[in-house]
Amino acid sequence: MDAWEGWDFQRFYLLFVGAAFLLLGLQVFLFHWRAGFSRTSMYLPVVAAPLLALAAVLAAITREGAIGWIAVVVFAVGVLGGLLGVYEHLRGIGYRIGGFSLRNLVAGPPPLLPATFAAVALSAGLAVLWGEL
């Protein structure tokens, strides 16, 4: 238990974020695979999720110097990617027969998944910066 002594909440949270991005990335991969990767932009979150997970683990180890700032930039790109995903998913729902109906919101591209992606990335960036605020 002594090995964890002195670890602040931000470090534990960043490890949690690393695991969360691996799981989110797997879910995104499965949804986009089901859709046949029909758009090139579908590859972005699949590739980004492991990079975000790696940034979270590295930031959990140390947030000093360049590593901390690189992690913040990676998380900011994750936020932007998530917001792009919300736009793409809403656009995809709108293109379905029946447009923005409850059925299409349930059966179409899930707009809350990329929103979750963005929210987790934002919270990770805040965790890195927390001590500096």
Side-chain angles (χ1 to χ4, degrees):
M1 201 70 149
D2 291 334
W4 296 98
E5 190 174 321
W7 273 50
D8 52 17
F9 176 75
Q10 289 90 342
R11 287 182 185 235
F12 288 112
Y13 184 73
L14 287 165
L15 289 176
F16 168 78
V17 165
F21 271 119
L22 290 177
L23 293 173
L24 277 170
L26 178 60
Q27 185 64 60
V28 168
F29 171 75
L30 292 173
F31 276 137
H32 288 180
W33 185 30
R34 179 181 73 182
F37 285 97
S38 57
R39 297 182 55 84
T40 306
S41 60
M42 290 177 148
Y43 289 99
L44 295 174
V46 173
V47 172
L51 297 175
L52 287 158
L54 178 63
V57 171
L58 290 176
I61 294 169
T62 182
R63 297 176 304 240
E64 302 296 324
I67 291 177
W69 288 110
I70 291 170
V72 169
V73 169
V74 169
F75 295 136
V77 171
V79 171
L80 294 175
L83 294 176
L84 174 65
V86 170
Y87 168 77
E88 290 287 344
H89 282 213
L90 289 174
R91 196 173 80 159
I93 292 169
Y95 283 145
R96 294 173 70 96
I97 296 172
F100 288 97
S101 65
L102 181 59
R103 175 173 170 67
N104 286 344
L105 283 172
V106 172
L112 295 180
L113 186 58
T116 302
F117 199 91
V120 173
L122 177 65
S123 69
L126 290 175
V128 172
L129 295 172
W130 193 264
E132 304 299 319
L133 297 177

